[in-house]
Structure formats: structure tokens, C-alpha cells
Amino acid sequence: MKILVLNCGSSSLKYQVIDMDTRNPIAKGLIERIGLQGSVFAHCAGSLKKEVFKTEIENHTKAIELVLQQLVNPECGTLKDLNEIYAIGHRVVHGGEKFAKSVIINDSVMKALDECIELAPLHNPPNIAGIKACQKIMPGIPQVAVFDTAFHQTMRPYSYIYGLPYEYYEKYGIRKYGFHGTSHKYVSQRASVLLKKPLGELKLISCHLGNGASIAAIRGGKSIETSMGFTPLDGLLMGTRSGALDPAIVTYIMRKENLNAEQMNDFLNTKCGALGVSGISSDFRDIEVSASHGNIRAQLALDIFEHDVKQYIGAYAAVMGGADALIFTAGVGENSTSMRAAICKNLSYLGIHLDMEKNMVRGEEVDVSKTNSRCRVLVIPTNEELMIALDTLELTR
Ligand code: ADP
């Protein structure tokens, strides 16, 4: 049984075809620069090496048509016929309060998705465009929406309501939503398998540390707190995003630099974080190299990141009354041995004892804590596509 997973960004499309019997992708790829000059289409199928095409792709419908053509291309040998695709799972960034779970897409879901555009004006429109394109090209195939926000809908009001007049929550939907939910859900399920304990009995702190980064406190399989907020700008210092700030800084910079609301939003999302502090790059690999050569601002960016993560770990252990495991995932979490070591240093009061030798792994699912570590430390490569495919299969079977 094969599931097509689509992740439509504003000018990009990521896809995978997953064979649900083996749970492995049999084809995957990425189209970039959709609607811009010189679109690039990279496709990988089975043992086939990556093929890259340069072409013009004006919109998501055209992009999906090209992907489907490639999937039935006999040279790639992925599918004989498009009817082999059992269902399609779409990543949708924002489900607001309407969606606490993945859903089969129908007319009323489409209407609700339109209503969520206001909350994620950059992300939801391309997600919706991808769904509409599939409805047009493959009308008979069931489609499922899987939301980044859904997993965090279990938070209690004292976690998600901000210190603003309550009417702003009612009128504008201003509250903490949280993101990366598909990743936090996936790694928490894997943690339960690795620890051989039911999710319902576990207190987990899940650290999704990538270009975008967030931490979640997961008790009994439910998200009870997370670091991203109304938007993905909140919480940790990230590659290019500021993370949490004194809110008064926003208007102060707007006045000093003569920026309007749009420009300020763009500034906070693209020019800040590790890039802004280091002045070098948003990429943690570049920053680690610079820091190792003695660049003080690169080291400062790393120190802030580590310090931020540590503070959330302490906070989330406090709200859950301890933790059974600390999970590291996403680019930095899965690969940066030095960042994991720095974060876990001096956390013995929480029962966290990292095994320096075991910690030398990158991108593997492994327990990297010492045998006496009361709180286990797990490296778990995330797999949002598989999680989307599993939800899609469960809802459509
Ligand atoms: P996103 O999906 O948010 O774009 P990723 O999860 O792919 O992000 O993570 C990207 C980040 O992971 C980059 O900053 C990159 O430098 C970092 N990263 C990847 N590999 C390593 C590594 N070996 N050491 C340190 N950082 C790494």
C-alpha cells in the first residue's frame, strides 16, 4: 500500500511516496522556485541516483503534475499506475483550534482551512493550493490534512492564554498554538518503543533543534507545554528567528530603524537568531566551525542557544514533576554531538547523565545516556513524512 506525502511551501514542494508495508520511501524529491524563474526539480527513486531537472514550473498544480509524471515514468519504476496511490497526506502548518487531529479532507474541512489562513498567511495558502491541485488531478483519491499545530491542542488554557485582554483571544484567536507537532508526536512514540514503556506512563522533554527549533513537554503522550507560540517565532533563538524577546523591543526597533509592521515581522523572522548574533550564518555547522576558530560572536550564538534549551528543560521538568527522557531530534539535535554535550552538562540534578562515548552518534536512533541515568537521553531522527503517512493510512483505511 502506497501513500503520497506532500509538503507544499510558498515556492517549494517536498514529496515522498511511502510503501506502508516496509514504512520506507520508494521515491522522494523536492521542487524549488515554483512560480519563479528557473525552477529546480530533484527526484530520487529507489536505488536511482538523484536526478535534477531545470524547468519552468508556474504553480503548484503544474508541480504536482510533474511529480506524478515522474512517479509513473518507467525509467524510475516507482509506480505502474497512479491508482497505486492509496491516499495522499498533506502537511498543513496551521489548524488553529479547529483541528486537534488529522482529518480526511472534504468541503467543510476546506472551508475551515480557509478560515485558518489569517493565522498563517505565508504557510497555509500553499498547503491549500497543493490540496486543490490534487483534488483536480486525482479526484478519486482520498486526502488527509496533518497539522503542525494539532498535537499541541491538548495544552491547558493556563499554558496557551497570553497576558492580554481575554477578548483578543476571542476576537482574533491570539493564543499559543505551538508547531512541529508532527515531529514531537513521532519522536515521543519512538521513545515509548525504545524505552519499552507505554506512552501513557512517560514524561518526555522533546527537543526539536533544527533551523526552526522548539521544545515540548509531553506527559502521557499529550503535549502540555511548548516553546513556540502564536507563531513559530517564539521560544528558542533559532537559525534566523529571534525567539522570545521583551515585547517592548519590537516597537523600540520599529521606531529606531523606521520599520513598518511587515518589515519588522520579516526582520524578526529572517535577520535575527543565530545569524544576527554571530553575523556569520544561520547554519549551525558554519557557526560551530567559526567558534572552533575562536570567533567570539559565533561562540556567543552557540552559548545562547544552549542556555535557552537548558532553561526550557528545567522549566518543563518543573511543570511535569521530572522527566523520564530527554529527546534530541532535527538537524542540530540529531547531529551536533557538541551541542548535545553542552546542553546535558550540569543536568545531573534531573538525573541526566550523558555517556560521552555513546553520544558520538549522528542521525541514529540511540540511547546516549549512562546506565545510571535516571532520565534517559535519546537521539531520535525525526520522520514527519512517515507520521503523516501513518495518520493518512489510519484515517483512510
Ligand atoms: P529545518 O528542517 O528546520 O530546515 P533541519 O532539521 O534540517 O532544519 O536542521 C538544519 C540545521 O541542522 C542547520 O542549522 C544545520 O547546520 C544543522 N546541522 C545539520 N548537521 C549538523 C551537524 N553535523 N552539526 C551541527 N549542526 C548540524
Side-chain angles (χ1 to χ4, degrees), residues 14 180 208-213 239 241 282-288 329-339 362 382 384:
K14 280 191 209 149
H180 290 145
H208 178 112
L209 311 179
N211 210 354
R241 295 179 214 150
S282 62
D283 192 302
F284 277 80
R285 277 166 296 200
D286 300 341
I287 299 173
E288 283 185 2
T329 192
V332 179
E334 291 166 25
N335 296 298
S336 177
T337 55
S338 55
M339 183 53 75
R362 296 182 201 277
T382 193
E384 287 156 295

mmCIF file of all heavy atoms in Angstrom, residues 14 180 208-213 239 241 282-288 329-339 362 382 384, ligand 1:
data_model
loop_
_atom_site.group_PDB
_atom_site.id
_atom_site.type_symbol
_atom_site.label_atom_id
_atom_site.label_comp_id
_atom_site.label_asym_id
_atom_site.label_seq_id
_atom_site.Cartn_x
_atom_site.Cartn_y
_atom_site.Cartn_z
ATOM 1 N N LYS A 14 7.838 19.476 -1.365
ATOM 2 C CA LYS A 14 8.598 18.274 -0.987
ATOM 3 C C LYS A 14 7.632 17.109 -1.043
ATOM 4 O O LYS A 14 6.474 17.257 -0.636
ATOM 5 C CB LYS A 14 9.103 18.401 0.461
ATOM 6 C CG LYS A 14 10.337 19.237 0.608
ATOM 7 C CD LYS A 14 10.906 19.068 2.021
ATOM 8 C CE LYS A 14 11.626 20.322 2.439
ATOM 9 N NZ LYS A 14 11.605 20.610 3.847
ATOM 10 N N HIS A 180 5.670 22.208 14.979
ATOM 11 C CA HIS A 180 6.489 20.980 14.946
ATOM 12 C C HIS A 180 5.760 19.808 15.614
ATOM 13 O O HIS A 180 6.398 18.838 16.050
ATOM 14 C CB HIS A 180 7.835 21.166 15.700
ATOM 15 C CG HIS A 180 8.819 22.071 15.020
ATOM 16 N ND1 HIS A 180 9.663 22.900 15.723
ATOM 17 C CD2 HIS A 180 9.097 22.269 13.715
ATOM 18 C CE1 HIS A 180 10.427 23.577 14.882
ATOM 19 N NE2 HIS A 180 10.096 23.208 13.652
ATOM 20 N N HIS A 208 13.213 19.543 19.485
ATOM 21 C CA HIS A 208 13.346 19.562 18.026
ATOM 22 C C HIS A 208 14.243 20.748 17.697
ATOM 23 O O HIS A 208 13.813 21.897 17.705
ATOM 24 C CB HIS A 208 11.955 19.719 17.380
ATOM 25 C CG HIS A 208 11.995 19.796 15.884
ATOM 26 N ND1 HIS A 208 11.502 18.809 15.061
ATOM 27 C CD2 HIS A 208 12.475 20.745 15.055
ATOM 28 C CE1 HIS A 208 11.685 19.152 13.801
ATOM 29 N NE2 HIS A 208 12.275 20.335 13.766
ATOM 30 N N LEU A 209 15.531 20.456 17.461
ATOM 31 C CA LEU A 209 16.511 21.528 17.272
ATOM 32 C C LEU A 209 17.007 21.510 15.834
ATOM 33 O O LEU A 209 17.934 20.763 15.492
ATOM 34 C CB LEU A 209 17.681 21.351 18.251
ATOM 35 C CG LEU A 209 17.307 21.105 19.729
ATOM 36 C CD1 LEU A 209 18.559 20.928 20.582
ATOM 37 C CD2 LEU A 209 16.452 22.253 20.275
ATOM 38 N N GLY A 210 16.362 22.287 14.990
ATOM 39 C CA GLY A 210 16.779 22.402 13.592
ATOM 40 C C GLY A 210 16.992 23.871 13.298
ATOM 41 O O GLY A 210 17.297 24.661 14.199
ATOM 42 N N ASN A 211 16.781 24.230 12.053
ATOM 43 C CA ASN A 211 16.832 25.638 11.681
ATOM 44 C C ASN A 211 15.740 26.389 12.434
ATOM 45 O O ASN A 211 15.957 27.448 13.011
ATOM 46 C CB ASN A 211 16.590 25.696 10.181
ATOM 47 C CG ASN A 211 17.291 26.847 9.583
ATOM 48 O OD1 ASN A 211 17.875 27.669 10.290
ATOM 49 N ND2 ASN A 211 17.220 26.924 8.273
ATOM 50 N N GLY A 212 14.540 25.801 12.408
ATOM 51 C CA GLY A 212 13.479 26.211 13.324
ATOM 52 C C GLY A 212 13.593 25.262 14.519
ATOM 53 O O GLY A 212 13.907 24.091 14.331
ATOM 54 N N ALA A 213 13.377 25.762 15.733
ATOM 55 C CA ALA A 213 13.595 24.885 16.888
ATOM 56 C C ALA A 213 12.484 25.079 17.913
ATOM 57 O O ALA A 213 12.043 26.213 18.149
ATOM 58 C CB ALA A 213 14.947 25.183 17.519
ATOM 59 N N GLY A 239 17.810 29.629 13.817
ATOM 60 C CA GLY A 239 18.752 29.975 12.749
ATOM 61 C C GLY A 239 18.675 31.446 12.388
ATOM 62 O O GLY A 239 19.664 32.173 12.461
ATOM 63 N N ARG A 241 15.492 33.264 13.306
ATOM 64 C CA ARG A 241 14.413 33.881 14.099
ATOM 65 C C ARG A 241 14.907 34.237 15.495
ATOM 66 O O ARG A 241 15.678 33.474 16.096
ATOM 67 C CB ARG A 241 13.230 32.920 14.234
ATOM 68 C CG ARG A 241 12.561 32.619 12.914
ATOM 69 C CD ARG A 241 11.411 31.642 13.094
ATOM 70 N NE ARG A 241 11.315 30.776 11.940
ATOM 71 C CZ ARG A 241 10.872 29.533 11.970
ATOM 72 N NH1 ARG A 241 10.451 28.989 13.098
ATOM 73 N NH2 ARG A 241 10.814 28.824 10.874
ATOM 74 N N SER A 282 23.279 31.324 9.381
ATOM 75 C CA SER A 282 22.187 30.767 10.178
ATOM 76 C C SER A 282 22.425 29.263 10.369
ATOM 77 O O SER A 282 21.686 28.599 11.066
ATOM 78 C CB SER A 282 20.856 30.975 9.454
ATOM 79 O OG SER A 282 20.889 30.290 8.214
ATOM 80 N N ASP A 283 23.443 28.752 9.697
ATOM 81 C CA ASP A 283 23.694 27.311 9.712
ATOM 82 C C ASP A 283 24.611 26.952 10.875
ATOM 83 O O ASP A 283 25.735 27.444 10.959
ATOM 84 C CB ASP A 283 24.323 26.908 8.370
ATOM 85 C CG ASP A 283 24.349 25.413 8.192
ATOM 86 O OD1 ASP A 283 24.949 24.718 9.044
ATOM 87 O OD2 ASP A 283 23.764 24.925 7.213
ATOM 88 N N PHE A 284 24.120 26.079 11.748
ATOM 89 C CA PHE A 284 24.884 25.758 12.962
ATOM 90 C C PHE A 284 26.228 25.088 12.655
ATOM 91 O O PHE A 284 27.160 25.199 13.444
ATOM 92 C CB PHE A 284 24.044 24.883 13.913
ATOM 93 C CG PHE A 284 23.112 25.705 14.759
ATOM 94 C CD1 PHE A 284 21.906 26.163 14.248
ATOM 95 C CD2 PHE A 284 23.452 26.059 16.061
ATOM 96 C CE1 PHE A 284 21.055 26.952 15.016
ATOM 97 C CE2 PHE A 284 22.609 26.843 16.839
ATOM 98 C CZ PHE A 284 21.406 27.294 16.313
ATOM 99 N N ARG A 285 26.323 24.429 11.497
ATOM 100 C CA ARG A 285 27.627 23.829 11.162
ATOM 101 C C ARG A 285 28.669 24.922 10.950
ATOM 102 O O ARG A 285 29.775 24.853 11.472
ATOM 103 C CB ARG A 285 27.518 22.988 9.884
ATOM 104 C CG ARG A 285 27.005 21.604 10.140
ATOM 105 C CD ARG A 285 26.605 20.929 8.874
ATOM 106 N NE ARG A 285 25.481 21.641 8.261
ATOM 107 C CZ ARG A 285 24.662 21.118 7.367
ATOM 108 N NH1 ARG A 285 24.851 19.889 6.965
ATOM 109 N NH2 ARG A 285 23.659 21.805 6.879
ATOM 110 N N ASP A 286 28.278 25.970 10.176
ATOM 111 C CA ASP A 286 29.213 27.082 9.920
ATOM 112 C C ASP A 286 29.575 27.772 11.233
ATOM 113 O O ASP A 286 30.719 28.157 11.451
ATOM 114 C CB ASP A 286 28.563 28.144 9.009
ATOM 115 C CG ASP A 286 28.149 27.574 7.674
ATOM 116 O OD1 ASP A 286 28.666 26.500 7.318
ATOM 117 O OD2 ASP A 286 27.293 28.190 6.995
ATOM 118 N N ILE A 287 28.566 27.930 12.083
ATOM 119 C CA ILE A 287 28.801 28.645 13.339
ATOM 120 C C ILE A 287 29.741 27.840 14.237
ATOM 121 O O ILE A 287 30.662 28.391 14.846
ATOM 122 C CB ILE A 287 27.449 28.937 14.045
ATOM 123 C CG1 ILE A 287 26.590 29.817 13.142
ATOM 124 C CG2 ILE A 287 27.671 29.625 15.388
ATOM 125 C CD1 ILE A 287 25.185 30.031 13.644
ATOM 126 N N GLU A 288 29.542 26.522 14.263
ATOM 127 C CA GLU A 288 30.434 25.678 15.086
ATOM 128 C C GLU A 288 31.876 25.759 14.586
ATOM 129 O O GLU A 288 32.813 25.828 15.384
ATOM 130 C CB GLU A 288 29.946 24.216 15.085
ATOM 131 C CG GLU A 288 28.743 24.007 15.991
ATOM 132 C CD GLU A 288 28.306 22.540 16.112
ATOM 133 O OE1 GLU A 288 28.944 21.653 15.520
ATOM 134 O OE2 GLU A 288 27.304 22.298 16.819
ATOM 135 N N THR A 329 16.162 15.756 18.543
ATOM 136 C CA THR A 329 15.838 15.449 17.149
ATOM 137 C C THR A 329 16.081 16.671 16.263
ATOM 138 O O THR A 329 16.412 17.746 16.757
ATOM 139 C CB THR A 329 14.384 14.922 17.023
ATOM 140 O OG1 THR A 329 14.220 14.368 15.711
ATOM 141 C CG2 THR A 329 13.330 16.007 17.223
ATOM 142 N N ALA A 330 15.912 16.491 14.944
ATOM 143 C CA ALA A 330 16.126 17.502 13.877
ATOM 144 C C ALA A 330 17.618 17.791 13.700
ATOM 145 O O ALA A 330 18.444 17.284 14.475
ATOM 146 C CB ALA A 330 15.345 18.766 14.149
ATOM 147 N N GLY A 331 17.952 18.590 12.687
ATOM 148 C CA GLY A 331 19.345 18.771 12.234
ATOM 149 C C GLY A 331 20.385 18.880 13.346
ATOM 150 O O GLY A 331 21.323 18.084 13.394
ATOM 151 N N VAL A 332 20.225 19.849 14.242
ATOM 152 C CA VAL A 332 21.214 20.060 15.302
ATOM 153 C C VAL A 332 21.091 18.947 16.352
ATOM 154 O O VAL A 332 22.095 18.373 16.782
ATOM 155 C CB VAL A 332 21.015 21.448 15.961
ATOM 156 C CG1 VAL A 332 22.023 21.656 17.079
ATOM 157 C CG2 VAL A 332 21.107 22.563 14.926
ATOM 158 N N GLY A 333 19.876 18.638 16.750
ATOM 159 C CA GLY A 333 19.645 17.636 17.794
ATOM 160 C C GLY A 333 20.152 16.253 17.408
ATOM 161 O O GLY A 333 20.682 15.518 18.231
ATOM 162 N N GLU A 334 19.997 15.905 16.116
ATOM 163 C CA GLU A 334 20.403 14.570 15.676
ATOM 164 C C GLU A 334 21.908 14.478 15.409
ATOM 165 O O GLU A 334 22.492 13.405 15.515
ATOM 166 C CB GLU A 334 19.675 14.205 14.363
ATOM 167 C CG GLU A 334 18.193 13.975 14.544
ATOM 168 C CD GLU A 334 17.435 13.945 13.216
ATOM 169 O OE1 GLU A 334 18.030 13.633 12.164
ATOM 170 O OE2 GLU A 334 16.226 14.246 13.228
ATOM 171 N N ASN A 335 22.499 15.638 15.048
ATOM 172 C CA ASN A 335 23.878 15.591 14.537
ATOM 173 C C ASN A 335 24.945 16.278 15.358
ATOM 174 O O ASN A 335 26.118 15.947 15.231
ATOM 175 C CB ASN A 335 23.913 16.202 13.128
ATOM 176 C CG ASN A 335 23.091 15.401 12.146
ATOM 177 O OD1 ASN A 335 23.386 14.242 11.903
ATOM 178 N ND2 ASN A 335 22.038 16.005 11.620
ATOM 179 N N SER A 336 24.572 17.282 16.142
ATOM 180 C CA SER A 336 25.622 18.034 16.824
ATOM 181 C C SER A 336 25.956 17.394 18.175
ATOM 182 O O SER A 336 25.277 17.623 19.181
ATOM 183 C CB SER A 336 25.210 19.498 17.015
ATOM 184 O OG SER A 336 26.227 20.148 17.735
ATOM 185 N N THR A 337 27.029 16.614 18.173
ATOM 186 C CA THR A 337 27.443 15.929 19.401
ATOM 187 C C THR A 337 27.852 16.969 20.448
ATOM 188 O O THR A 337 27.577 16.801 21.639
ATOM 189 C CB THR A 337 28.613 14.979 19.105
ATOM 190 O OG1 THR A 337 29.648 15.737 18.498
ATOM 191 C CG2 THR A 337 28.209 13.877 18.170
ATOM 192 N N SER A 338 28.504 18.049 19.994
ATOM 193 C CA SER A 338 28.991 19.051 20.950
ATOM 194 C C SER A 338 27.830 19.828 21.568
ATOM 195 O O SER A 338 27.844 20.130 22.766
ATOM 196 C CB SER A 338 29.965 20.017 20.271
ATOM 197 O OG SER A 338 29.354 20.595 19.154
ATOM 198 N N MET A 339 26.789 20.116 20.775
ATOM 199 C CA MET A 339 25.643 20.851 21.337
ATOM 200 C C MET A 339 24.888 19.968 22.338
ATOM 201 O O MET A 339 24.486 20.431 23.408
ATOM 202 C CB MET A 339 24.711 21.342 20.209
ATOM 203 C CG MET A 339 23.541 22.176 20.676
ATOM 204 S SD MET A 339 23.988 23.584 21.730
ATOM 205 C CE MET A 339 24.668 24.731 20.545
ATOM 206 N N ARG A 362 25.573 10.280 15.066
ATOM 207 C CA ARG A 362 24.852 11.293 14.288
ATOM 208 C C ARG A 362 23.731 10.596 13.521
ATOM 209 O O ARG A 362 23.986 9.617 12.823
ATOM 210 C CB ARG A 362 25.763 11.961 13.266
ATOM 211 C CG ARG A 362 26.896 12.748 13.871
ATOM 212 C CD ARG A 362 27.720 13.404 12.757
ATOM 213 N NE ARG A 362 29.055 13.750 13.228
ATOM 214 C CZ ARG A 362 29.344 14.853 13.898
ATOM 215 N NH1 ARG A 362 28.408 15.728 14.146
ATOM 216 N NH2 ARG A 362 30.575 15.098 14.297
ATOM 217 N N THR A 382 13.951 12.496 13.413
ATOM 218 C CA THR A 382 12.516 12.703 13.193
ATOM 219 C C THR A 382 12.118 12.170 11.824
ATOM 220 O O THR A 382 12.963 11.988 10.938
ATOM 221 C CB THR A 382 12.129 14.183 13.363
ATOM 222 O OG1 THR A 382 10.709 14.269 13.450
ATOM 223 C CG2 THR A 382 12.635 15.060 12.230
ATOM 224 N N GLU A 384 8.786 13.199 9.909
ATOM 225 C CA GLU A 384 7.442 13.787 9.820
ATOM 226 C C GLU A 384 6.648 13.170 8.668
ATOM 227 O O GLU A 384 5.439 13.006 8.765
ATOM 228 C CB GLU A 384 7.563 15.310 9.649
ATOM 229 C CG GLU A 384 8.005 15.983 10.937
ATOM 230 C CD GLU A 384 8.692 17.316 10.738
ATOM 231 O OE1 GLU A 384 9.786 17.338 10.136
ATOM 232 O OE2 GLU A 384 8.149 18.335 11.170
HETATM 233 P P1 ADP B 1 14.773 22.667 9.156
HETATM 234 O O1 ADP B 1 14.017 21.397 8.831
HETATM 235 O O2 ADP B 1 14.169 23.495 10.237
HETATM 236 O O3 ADP B 1 15.221 23.448 7.971
HETATM 237 P P2 ADP B 1 16.867 20.848 9.959
HETATM 238 O O4 ADP B 1 16.204 19.977 10.955
HETATM 239 O O5 ADP B 1 17.210 20.272 8.635
HETATM 240 O O6 ADP B 1 16.135 22.216 9.830
HETATM 241 O O7 ADP B 1 18.228 21.370 10.655
HETATM 242 C C1 ADP B 1 19.072 22.238 9.994
HETATM 243 C C2 ADP B 1 20.167 22.660 10.965
HETATM 244 O O8 ADP B 1 20.865 21.499 11.437
HETATM 245 C C3 ADP B 1 21.208 23.558 10.316
HETATM 246 O O9 ADP B 1 21.484 24.687 11.116
HETATM 247 C C4 ADP B 1 22.420 22.671 10.256
HETATM 248 O O10 ADP B 1 23.608 23.404 10.378
HETATM 249 C C5 ADP B 1 22.244 21.787 11.456
HETATM 250 N N1 ADP B 1 23.088 20.606 11.336
HETATM 251 C C6 ADP B 1 22.994 19.605 10.445
HETATM 252 N N2 ADP B 1 24.019 18.735 10.605
HETATM 253 C C7 ADP B 1 24.789 19.211 11.616
HETATM 254 C C8 ADP B 1 25.983 18.784 12.261
HETATM 255 N N3 ADP B 1 26.621 17.678 11.869
HETATM 256 N N4 ADP B 1 26.462 19.534 13.264
HETATM 257 C C9 ADP B 1 25.839 20.658 13.650
HETATM 258 N N5 ADP B 1 24.710 21.121 13.093
HETATM 259 C C10 ADP B 1 24.189 20.411 12.084
#
